[in-house]
Amino acid sequence: MIVNRPRGTRDFLPAETARRRYVESIMRDVAHKWGYSEIITPTFEHLDLFTLKSGEGIVEELYNFEDKGGREMTLRPELTAPVMRLYVNELQSFPKPLKLFYFENCFRYERPQKGRFREFWQFGVELIGSGKPDSDAEVIALADALLKAAGVKGDMKIGNLAVIRTLLSGLEPEIVSKVMRFVDKKEYAGLEALLDEIGTEEKLKSDLFHLIKLEGKYILPEVIKIVGNIPELVSFEKTLNLLDAYGVDYSLDFGIARGLDYYTGMVFEVYAEGLGAQKQVCGGGSYQLIQLFGGGDVPSTGFGIGFDRIMEICPLEPPMPKTLVLVSKPNVHREAIHFTKELRKHVPVHIDLMERNFKAQLSYANAINADYVVIVGEKELEAGKLTLRNMVSGEQELLTLEEIIEKVC
């Protein structure tokens, strides 16, 4: 019986795995250079961790299960909540701000489509303990730096939820949440129907639609006309000035809502070309979640990058080291193993594992596109040297082990 991989998952063959690991390493290096430390959280968590954050409705999207002890568990659908739990469990006494990043797989039970899988990978950052403009600016600038390092060109859009919430301050909280979800999904017809249903004043409707459709870099004066120069906008303007200092290219979009109640102020999203409808590659903002999980009133700012999506458009290819195949006859196989061991300190080396004859070993070297063949024979051993064959040019040289290492490295 042939068993296929589960729906919505993928197998990564060696070439694609090497490519993904290469881009991962570049992004990890950037995060480390910005002073962020990598963390790892469990692949499964208590179900409550995610229903507390996102509501009971999220259960339909989860790979949840009851373990043998009768506990409700789930494979993690995202990583912000696990990081907040980790903070409450382990890190509350650490110096602030805490600058953390992660790269892990996540799971959601949803219909697979282009750019969306049931198992997917997320690269994310959480800065915990500061709600200042400098923190918001650094997090946005880091997201920009990570995408650029991965060779991804994106359209950065930044908004601030305090503006919409100020405008909607006269409405009931549950209505505001519904409005934010319509805004997040750009479902303007549904939004208008909701506002009509609750009897919203025409001026509020007009101001809201005007606000959420405003886009551009220099629209703050227009926003101030609508909501006034509220303190959150003063702080937001400081963040934007810092982003200019970082050299981040962005536009303002007050129609970004992120769709989740725990976001408190600045929010941002990055869209890339070449991905069709699923073109968002990064999203984040400032939020308050730690109190929900039993911690203090601690501000946080973070983002997640959809690694699978950026790999669809990432132009980077890993540098390929030279590959050697060491060829020998049975009577000198032990000596060949010795040379293989030494060469492997410098380059990838293959040696025969199937008791092939000399000609078949050379054919194998051709089949795997080896750059060089190193021939170990009786004549070579008598001379204290080895034959190095260039598989592209066909040229052969009799060289010492040290000379081969110098030539191929």
mmCIF file of all heavy atoms in Angstrom, residues 255-302:
data_model
loop_
_atom_site.group_PDB
_atom_site.id
_atom_site.type_symbol
_atom_site.label_atom_id
_atom_site.label_comp_id
_atom_site.label_asym_id
_atom_site.label_seq_id
_atom_site.Cartn_x
_atom_site.Cartn_y
_atom_site.Cartn_z
ATOM 1 N N GLY A 255 -6.875 52.067 6.686
ATOM 2 C CA GLY A 255 -7.817 50.972 6.485
ATOM 3 C C GLY A 255 -7.257 49.642 6.956
ATOM 4 O O GLY A 255 -7.926 48.617 6.863
ATOM 5 N N ILE A 256 -6.008 49.630 7.473
ATOM 6 C CA ILE A 256 -5.440 48.400 8.040
ATOM 7 C C ILE A 256 -6.013 48.232 9.440
ATOM 8 O O ILE A 256 -5.875 49.106 10.293
ATOM 9 C CB ILE A 256 -3.902 48.479 8.119
ATOM 10 C CG1 ILE A 256 -3.303 48.602 6.723
ATOM 11 C CG2 ILE A 256 -3.346 47.241 8.820
ATOM 12 C CD1 ILE A 256 -1.797 48.817 6.735
ATOM 13 N N ALA A 257 -6.673 47.096 9.678
ATOM 14 C CA ALA A 257 -7.299 46.872 10.983
ATOM 15 C C ALA A 257 -6.785 45.619 11.677
ATOM 16 O O ALA A 257 -6.947 45.461 12.879
ATOM 17 C CB ALA A 257 -8.819 46.795 10.838
ATOM 18 N N ARG A 258 -6.154 44.699 10.932
ATOM 19 C CA ARG A 258 -5.614 43.446 11.454
ATOM 20 C C ARG A 258 -6.682 42.506 12.000
ATOM 21 O O ARG A 258 -6.409 41.362 12.269
ATOM 22 C CB ARG A 258 -4.543 43.685 12.538
ATOM 23 C CG ARG A 258 -3.350 44.497 12.108
ATOM 24 C CD ARG A 258 -2.502 43.810 11.058
ATOM 25 N NE ARG A 258 -1.884 42.582 11.540
ATOM 26 C CZ ARG A 258 -1.621 41.537 10.766
ATOM 27 N NH1 ARG A 258 -1.939 41.555 9.492
ATOM 28 N NH2 ARG A 258 -1.038 40.471 11.262
ATOM 29 N N GLY A 259 -7.912 42.983 12.209
ATOM 30 C CA GLY A 259 -9.031 42.108 12.530
ATOM 31 C C GLY A 259 -9.031 41.479 13.910
ATOM 32 O O GLY A 259 -9.875 40.639 14.197
ATOM 33 N N LEU A 260 -8.110 41.846 14.784
ATOM 34 C CA LEU A 260 -8.038 41.242 16.115
ATOM 35 C C LEU A 260 -8.056 42.332 17.181
ATOM 36 O O LEU A 260 -7.359 43.336 17.066
ATOM 37 C CB LEU A 260 -6.768 40.386 16.242
ATOM 38 C CG LEU A 260 -6.729 39.155 15.320
ATOM 39 C CD1 LEU A 260 -5.335 38.572 15.281
ATOM 40 C CD2 LEU A 260 -7.732 38.105 15.786
ATOM 41 N N ASP A 261 -8.830 42.108 18.240
ATOM 42 C CA ASP A 261 -9.075 43.144 19.238
ATOM 43 C C ASP A 261 -7.845 43.503 20.067
ATOM 44 O O ASP A 261 -7.801 44.565 20.685
ATOM 45 C CB ASP A 261 -10.199 42.711 20.181
ATOM 46 C CG ASP A 261 -11.553 42.639 19.480
ATOM 47 O OD1 ASP A 261 -11.696 43.292 18.434
ATOM 48 O OD2 ASP A 261 -12.444 41.919 19.978
ATOM 49 N N TYR A 262 -6.843 42.617 20.121
ATOM 50 C CA TYR A 262 -5.729 42.888 21.030
ATOM 51 C C TYR A 262 -4.716 43.880 20.463
ATOM 52 O O TYR A 262 -3.842 44.349 21.172
ATOM 53 C CB TYR A 262 -5.034 41.584 21.452
ATOM 54 C CG TYR A 262 -4.467 40.759 20.318
ATOM 55 C CD1 TYR A 262 -3.241 41.070 19.734
ATOM 56 C CD2 TYR A 262 -5.137 39.635 19.860
ATOM 57 C CE1 TYR A 262 -2.713 40.299 18.716
ATOM 58 C CE2 TYR A 262 -4.610 38.853 18.851
ATOM 59 C CZ TYR A 262 -3.400 39.184 18.283
ATOM 60 O OH TYR A 262 -2.884 38.426 17.273
ATOM 61 N N TYR A 263 -4.797 44.197 19.160
ATOM 62 C CA TYR A 263 -3.931 45.258 18.632
ATOM 63 C C TYR A 263 -4.389 46.602 19.184
ATOM 64 O O TYR A 263 -5.590 46.882 19.236
ATOM 65 C CB TYR A 263 -3.959 45.271 17.101
ATOM 66 C CG TYR A 263 -3.118 44.191 16.485
ATOM 67 C CD1 TYR A 263 -3.697 43.030 15.991
ATOM 68 C CD2 TYR A 263 -1.728 44.319 16.413
ATOM 69 C CE1 TYR A 263 -2.924 42.020 15.444
ATOM 70 C CE2 TYR A 263 -0.943 43.318 15.863
ATOM 71 C CZ TYR A 263 -1.550 42.171 15.377
ATOM 72 O OH TYR A 263 -0.782 41.172 14.843
ATOM 73 N N THR A 264 -3.436 47.426 19.584
ATOM 74 C CA THR A 264 -3.783 48.635 20.337
ATOM 75 C C THR A 264 -3.498 49.938 19.603
ATOM 76 O O THR A 264 -4.154 50.944 19.862
ATOM 77 C CB THR A 264 -3.004 48.664 21.664
ATOM 78 O OG1 THR A 264 -1.596 48.520 21.386
ATOM 79 C CG2 THR A 264 -3.453 47.542 22.583
ATOM 80 N N GLY A 265 -2.513 49.967 18.747
ATOM 81 C CA GLY A 265 -2.120 51.235 18.128
ATOM 82 C C GLY A 265 -1.574 51.019 16.734
ATOM 83 O O GLY A 265 -2.307 50.698 15.799
ATOM 84 N N MET A 266 -0.257 51.157 16.580
ATOM 85 C CA MET A 266 0.371 51.013 15.281
ATOM 86 C C MET A 266 0.171 49.608 14.723
ATOM 87 O O MET A 266 0.312 48.612 15.429
ATOM 88 C CB MET A 266 1.870 51.320 15.402
ATOM 89 C CG MET A 266 2.650 51.225 14.096
ATOM 90 S SD MET A 266 3.160 49.540 13.645
ATOM 91 C CE MET A 266 4.237 49.084 14.973
ATOM 92 N N VAL A 267 -0.182 49.540 13.445
ATOM 93 C CA VAL A 267 -0.280 48.266 12.732
ATOM 94 C C VAL A 267 0.375 48.441 11.364
ATOM 95 O O VAL A 267 0.431 49.553 10.826
ATOM 96 C CB VAL A 267 -1.742 47.798 12.552
ATOM 97 C CG1 VAL A 267 -2.327 47.311 13.857
ATOM 98 C CG2 VAL A 267 -2.610 48.910 11.969
ATOM 99 N N PHE A 268 0.891 47.348 10.818
ATOM 100 C CA PHE A 268 1.485 47.450 9.485
ATOM 101 C C PHE A 268 1.362 46.129 8.746
ATOM 102 O O PHE A 268 1.252 45.054 9.346
ATOM 103 C CB PHE A 268 2.944 47.901 9.551
ATOM 104 C CG PHE A 268 3.904 46.882 10.102
ATOM 105 C CD1 PHE A 268 4.682 46.105 9.256
ATOM 106 C CD2 PHE A 268 4.053 46.713 11.472
ATOM 107 C CE1 PHE A 268 5.577 45.177 9.762
ATOM 108 C CE2 PHE A 268 4.950 45.790 11.992
ATOM 109 C CZ PHE A 268 5.719 45.014 11.121
ATOM 110 N N GLU A 269 1.395 46.218 7.428
ATOM 111 C CA GLU A 269 1.360 45.046 6.560
ATOM 112 C C GLU A 269 2.268 45.291 5.375
ATOM 113 O O GLU A 269 2.475 46.448 4.964
ATOM 114 C CB GLU A 269 -0.078 44.769 6.082
ATOM 115 C CG GLU A 269 -1.017 44.382 7.225
ATOM 116 C CD GLU A 269 -2.463 44.217 6.815
ATOM 117 O OE1 GLU A 269 -2.820 44.640 5.686
ATOM 118 O OE2 GLU A 269 -3.241 43.671 7.627
ATOM 119 N N VAL A 270 2.808 44.217 4.817
ATOM 120 C CA VAL A 270 3.679 44.309 3.643
ATOM 121 C C VAL A 270 3.115 43.393 2.567
ATOM 122 O O VAL A 270 2.825 42.216 2.830
ATOM 123 C CB VAL A 270 5.132 43.905 3.966
ATOM 124 C CG1 VAL A 270 6.009 44.070 2.724
ATOM 125 C CG2 VAL A 270 5.682 44.744 5.116
ATOM 126 N N TYR A 271 2.966 43.943 1.371
ATOM 127 C CA TYR A 271 2.428 43.199 0.233
ATOM 128 C C TYR A 271 3.496 43.094 -0.848
ATOM 129 O O TYR A 271 4.201 44.060 -1.131
ATOM 130 C CB TYR A 271 1.192 43.901 -0.325
ATOM 131 C CG TYR A 271 0.068 44.014 0.682
ATOM 132 C CD1 TYR A 271 -0.002 45.110 1.551
ATOM 133 C CD2 TYR A 271 -0.891 43.027 0.794
ATOM 134 C CE1 TYR A 271 -1.010 45.209 2.487
ATOM 135 C CE2 TYR A 271 -1.916 43.123 1.730
ATOM 136 C CZ TYR A 271 -1.970 44.214 2.574
ATOM 137 O OH TYR A 271 -2.964 44.303 3.511
ATOM 138 N N ALA A 272 3.597 41.910 -1.449
ATOM 139 C CA ALA A 272 4.601 41.680 -2.486
ATOM 140 C C ALA A 272 3.922 41.277 -3.788
ATOM 141 O O ALA A 272 2.864 40.635 -3.790
ATOM 142 C CB ALA A 272 5.583 40.593 -2.042
ATOM 143 N N GLU A 273 4.537 41.638 -4.896
ATOM 144 C CA GLU A 273 4.005 41.271 -6.203
ATOM 145 C C GLU A 273 4.361 39.820 -6.524
ATOM 146 O O GLU A 273 5.306 39.260 -5.989
ATOM 147 C CB GLU A 273 4.579 42.197 -7.282
ATOM 148 C CG GLU A 273 4.152 43.654 -7.129
ATOM 149 C CD GLU A 273 2.639 43.840 -7.197
ATOM 150 O OE1 GLU A 273 2.008 43.150 -8.026
ATOM 151 O OE2 GLU A 273 2.102 44.648 -6.423
ATOM 152 N N GLY A 274 3.573 39.220 -7.417
ATOM 153 C CA GLY A 274 3.882 37.879 -7.888
ATOM 154 C C GLY A 274 3.227 36.766 -7.104
ATOM 155 O O GLY A 274 3.512 35.586 -7.341
ATOM 156 N N LEU A 275 2.321 37.113 -6.177
ATOM 157 C CA LEU A 275 1.697 36.089 -5.339
ATOM 158 C C LEU A 275 0.187 35.986 -5.545
ATOM 159 O O LEU A 275 -0.476 35.259 -4.824
ATOM 160 C CB LEU A 275 1.985 36.385 -3.855
ATOM 161 C CG LEU A 275 3.438 36.182 -3.415
ATOM 162 C CD1 LEU A 275 3.623 36.695 -1.988
ATOM 163 C CD2 LEU A 275 3.835 34.717 -3.496
ATOM 164 N N GLY A 276 -0.348 36.702 -6.509
ATOM 165 C CA GLY A 276 -1.780 36.644 -6.736
ATOM 166 C C GLY A 276 -2.558 37.262 -5.588
ATOM 167 O O GLY A 276 -2.131 38.250 -4.979
ATOM 168 N N ALA A 277 -3.688 36.637 -5.240
ATOM 169 C CA ALA A 277 -4.556 37.192 -4.197
ATOM 170 C C ALA A 277 -3.902 37.122 -2.824
ATOM 171 O O ALA A 277 -4.137 37.969 -1.970
ATOM 172 C CB ALA A 277 -5.885 36.451 -4.189
ATOM 173 N N GLN A 278 -3.075 36.097 -2.603
ATOM 174 C CA GLN A 278 -2.427 35.926 -1.287
ATOM 175 C C GLN A 278 -1.075 36.644 -1.282
ATOM 176 O O GLN A 278 -0.024 36.025 -1.174
ATOM 177 C CB GLN A 278 -2.247 34.430 -0.991
ATOM 178 C CG GLN A 278 -3.529 33.623 -1.007
ATOM 179 C CD GLN A 278 -4.454 33.984 0.135
ATOM 180 O OE1 GLN A 278 -4.038 34.554 1.136
ATOM 181 N NE2 GLN A 278 -5.723 33.653 0.007
ATOM 182 N N LYS A 279 -1.096 37.974 -1.414
ATOM 183 C CA LYS A 279 0.154 38.705 -1.595
ATOM 184 C C LYS A 279 0.699 39.342 -0.317
ATOM 185 O O LYS A 279 1.772 39.944 -0.338
ATOM 186 C CB LYS A 279 -0.010 39.778 -2.665
ATOM 187 C CG LYS A 279 -1.031 40.869 -2.345
ATOM 188 C CD LYS A 279 -1.134 41.853 -3.500
ATOM 189 C CE LYS A 279 -2.131 42.966 -3.205
ATOM 190 N NZ LYS A 279 -2.173 43.954 -4.300
ATOM 191 N N GLN A 280 -0.026 39.217 0.801
ATOM 192 C CA GLN A 280 0.519 39.734 2.057
ATOM 193 C C GLN A 280 1.606 38.789 2.557
ATOM 194 O O GLN A 280 1.381 37.600 2.725
ATOM 195 C CB GLN A 280 -0.563 39.884 3.124
ATOM 196 C CG GLN A 280 -0.039 40.519 4.406
ATOM 197 C CD GLN A 280 -1.085 40.637 5.495
ATOM 198 O OE1 GLN A 280 -2.248 40.853 5.207
ATOM 199 N NE2 GLN A 280 -0.665 40.476 6.732
ATOM 200 N N VAL A 281 2.802 39.328 2.809
ATOM 201 C CA VAL A 281 3.924 38.492 3.262
ATOM 202 C C VAL A 281 4.326 38.793 4.703
ATOM 203 O O VAL A 281 5.093 38.035 5.302
ATOM 204 C CB VAL A 281 5.154 38.653 2.335
ATOM 205 C CG1 VAL A 281 4.853 38.092 0.956
ATOM 206 C CG2 VAL A 281 5.603 40.115 2.252
ATOM 207 N N CYS A 282 3.812 39.886 5.256
ATOM 208 C CA CYS A 282 4.197 40.264 6.620
ATOM 209 C C CYS A 282 3.087 41.109 7.223
ATOM 210 O O CYS A 282 2.450 41.902 6.524
ATOM 211 C CB CYS A 282 5.513 41.043 6.599
ATOM 212 S SG CYS A 282 6.069 41.662 8.196
ATOM 213 N N GLY A 283 2.863 40.931 8.513
ATOM 214 C CA GLY A 283 1.884 41.755 9.209
ATOM 215 C C GLY A 283 2.175 41.791 10.691
ATOM 216 O O GLY A 283 2.705 40.827 11.257
ATOM 217 N N GLY A 284 1.852 42.932 11.320
ATOM 218 C CA GLY A 284 2.102 43.036 12.751
ATOM 219 C C GLY A 284 1.638 44.362 13.305
ATOM 220 O O GLY A 284 0.903 45.106 12.652
ATOM 221 N N GLY A 285 2.101 44.658 14.511
ATOM 222 C CA GLY A 285 1.731 45.904 15.141
ATOM 223 C C GLY A 285 1.993 45.854 16.637
ATOM 224 O O GLY A 285 2.633 44.941 17.155
ATOM 225 N N SER A 286 1.481 46.864 17.334
ATOM 226 C CA SER A 286 1.616 46.921 18.794
ATOM 227 C C SER A 286 0.357 46.332 19.419
ATOM 228 O O SER A 286 -0.747 46.508 18.907
ATOM 229 C CB SER A 286 1.838 48.364 19.252
ATOM 230 O OG SER A 286 0.802 49.209 18.798
ATOM 231 N N TYR A 287 0.531 45.631 20.533
ATOM 232 C CA TYR A 287 -0.602 44.905 21.098
ATOM 233 C C TYR A 287 -0.443 44.701 22.605
ATOM 234 O O TYR A 287 0.631 44.877 23.180
ATOM 235 C CB TYR A 287 -0.777 43.545 20.398
ATOM 236 C CG TYR A 287 0.443 42.664 20.496
ATOM 237 C CD1 TYR A 287 0.620 41.800 21.573
ATOM 238 C CD2 TYR A 287 1.428 42.701 19.514
ATOM 239 C CE1 TYR A 287 1.738 40.993 21.673
ATOM 240 C CE2 TYR A 287 2.555 41.907 19.602
ATOM 241 C CZ TYR A 287 2.701 41.056 20.681
ATOM 242 O OH TYR A 287 3.818 40.272 20.790
ATOM 243 N N GLN A 288 -1.543 44.299 23.237
ATOM 244 C CA GLN A 288 -1.574 43.961 24.663
ATOM 245 C C GLN A 288 -2.165 42.567 24.794
ATOM 246 O O GLN A 288 -3.359 42.369 24.562
ATOM 247 C CB GLN A 288 -2.439 44.969 25.435
ATOM 248 C CG GLN A 288 -1.869 46.360 25.513
ATOM 249 C CD GLN A 288 -0.879 46.524 26.663
ATOM 250 O OE1 GLN A 288 -0.550 45.570 27.348
ATOM 251 N NE2 GLN A 288 -0.399 47.750 26.870
ATOM 252 N N LEU A 289 -1.339 41.584 25.134
ATOM 253 C CA LEU A 289 -1.812 40.208 25.291
ATOM 254 C C LEU A 289 -1.400 39.587 26.617
ATOM 255 O O LEU A 289 -2.005 38.630 27.081
ATOM 256 C CB LEU A 289 -1.258 39.322 24.162
ATOM 257 C CG LEU A 289 -2.133 39.098 22.936
ATOM 258 C CD1 LEU A 289 -1.398 38.232 21.931
ATOM 259 C CD2 LEU A 289 -3.460 38.456 23.306
ATOM 260 N N ILE A 290 -0.354 40.128 27.217
ATOM 261 C CA ILE A 290 0.254 39.462 28.369
ATOM 262 C C ILE A 290 -0.705 39.376 29.551
ATOM 263 O O ILE A 290 -0.769 38.360 30.244
ATOM 264 C CB ILE A 290 1.573 40.164 28.737
ATOM 265 C CG1 ILE A 290 2.612 39.846 27.651
ATOM 266 C CG2 ILE A 290 2.078 39.727 30.103
ATOM 267 C CD1 ILE A 290 3.876 40.652 27.738
ATOM 268 N N GLN A 291 -1.508 40.416 29.779
ATOM 269 C CA GLN A 291 -2.489 40.385 30.866
ATOM 270 C C GLN A 291 -3.477 39.238 30.692
ATOM 271 O O GLN A 291 -3.904 38.613 31.664
ATOM 272 C CB GLN A 291 -3.245 41.710 30.935
ATOM 273 C CG GLN A 291 -2.554 42.776 31.784
ATOM 274 C CD GLN A 291 -3.439 43.997 31.966
ATOM 275 O OE1 GLN A 291 -4.043 44.479 31.012
ATOM 276 N NE2 GLN A 291 -3.516 44.509 33.176
ATOM 277 N N LEU A 292 -3.835 38.961 29.448
ATOM 278 C CA LEU A 292 -4.785 37.899 29.145
ATOM 279 C C LEU A 292 -4.298 36.547 29.650
ATOM 280 O O LEU A 292 -5.082 35.682 30.013
ATOM 281 C CB LEU A 292 -5.019 37.847 27.632
ATOM 282 C CG LEU A 292 -6.158 36.976 27.107
ATOM 283 C CD1 LEU A 292 -7.498 37.471 27.624
ATOM 284 C CD2 LEU A 292 -6.147 36.971 25.577
ATOM 285 N N PHE A 293 -2.958 36.377 29.665
ATOM 286 C CA PHE A 293 -2.374 35.098 30.061
ATOM 287 C C PHE A 293 -1.816 35.115 31.482
ATOM 288 O O PHE A 293 -1.002 34.274 31.848
ATOM 289 C CB PHE A 293 -1.280 34.700 29.070
ATOM 290 C CG PHE A 293 -1.780 34.568 27.655
ATOM 291 C CD1 PHE A 293 -1.111 35.181 26.606
ATOM 292 C CD2 PHE A 293 -2.927 33.846 27.379
ATOM 293 C CE1 PHE A 293 -1.573 35.067 25.300
ATOM 294 C CE2 PHE A 293 -3.399 33.726 26.081
ATOM 295 C CZ PHE A 293 -2.728 34.332 25.037
ATOM 296 N N GLY A 294 -2.241 36.106 32.277
ATOM 297 C CA GLY A 294 -1.879 36.119 33.682
ATOM 298 C C GLY A 294 -0.666 36.948 34.030
ATOM 299 O O GLY A 294 -0.180 36.897 35.168
ATOM 300 N N GLY A 295 -0.172 37.751 33.095
ATOM 301 C CA GLY A 295 0.966 38.619 33.363
ATOM 302 C C GLY A 295 0.521 40.036 33.656
ATOM 303 O O GLY A 295 -0.669 40.315 33.844
ATOM 304 N N GLY A 296 1.482 40.950 33.680
ATOM 305 C CA GLY A 296 1.183 42.340 33.976
ATOM 306 C C GLY A 296 0.756 43.116 32.744
ATOM 307 O O GLY A 296 0.573 42.564 31.660
ATOM 308 N N ASP A 297 0.592 44.421 32.925
ATOM 309 C CA ASP A 297 0.196 45.323 31.834
ATOM 310 C C ASP A 297 1.461 45.709 31.069
ATOM 311 O O ASP A 297 2.046 46.774 31.296
ATOM 312 C CB ASP A 297 -0.504 46.550 32.422
ATOM 313 C CG ASP A 297 -1.020 47.479 31.337
ATOM 314 O OD1 ASP A 297 -1.038 47.069 30.163
ATOM 315 O OD2 ASP A 297 -1.383 48.625 31.670
ATOM 316 N N VAL A 298 1.870 44.832 30.176
ATOM 317 C CA VAL A 298 3.150 44.987 29.474
ATOM 318 C C VAL A 298 2.899 45.168 27.977
ATOM 319 O O VAL A 298 2.306 44.294 27.336
ATOM 320 C CB VAL A 298 4.058 43.753 29.700
ATOM 321 C CG1 VAL A 298 5.408 43.943 29.010
ATOM 322 C CG2 VAL A 298 4.256 43.494 31.188
ATOM 323 N N PRO A 299 3.339 46.279 27.398
ATOM 324 C CA PRO A 299 3.141 46.480 25.960
ATOM 325 C C PRO A 299 4.096 45.631 25.131
ATOM 326 O O PRO A 299 5.193 45.280 25.583
ATOM 327 C CB PRO A 299 3.444 47.971 25.778
ATOM 328 C CG PRO A 299 4.413 48.297 26.867
ATOM 329 C CD PRO A 299 4.032 47.416 28.036
ATOM 330 N N SER A 300 3.674 45.294 23.927
ATOM 331 C CA SER A 300 4.502 44.503 23.015
ATOM 332 C C SER A 300 4.293 44.981 21.593
ATOM 333 O O SER A 300 3.239 45.538 21.256
ATOM 334 C CB SER A 300 4.147 43.012 23.099
ATOM 335 O OG SER A 300 4.248 42.530 24.417
ATOM 336 N N THR A 301 5.284 44.745 20.765
ATOM 337 C CA THR A 301 5.182 45.016 19.329
ATOM 338 C C THR A 301 5.825 43.846 18.600
ATOM 339 O O THR A 301 6.884 43.365 19.011
ATOM 340 C CB THR A 301 5.911 46.320 18.950
ATOM 341 O OG1 THR A 301 5.406 47.391 19.731
ATOM 342 C CG2 THR A 301 5.716 46.645 17.475
ATOM 343 N N GLY A 302 5.180 43.391 17.551
ATOM 344 C CA GLY A 302 5.755 42.253 16.843
ATOM 345 C C GLY A 302 5.191 42.096 15.452
ATOM 346 O O GLY A 302 4.325 42.855 15.020
#
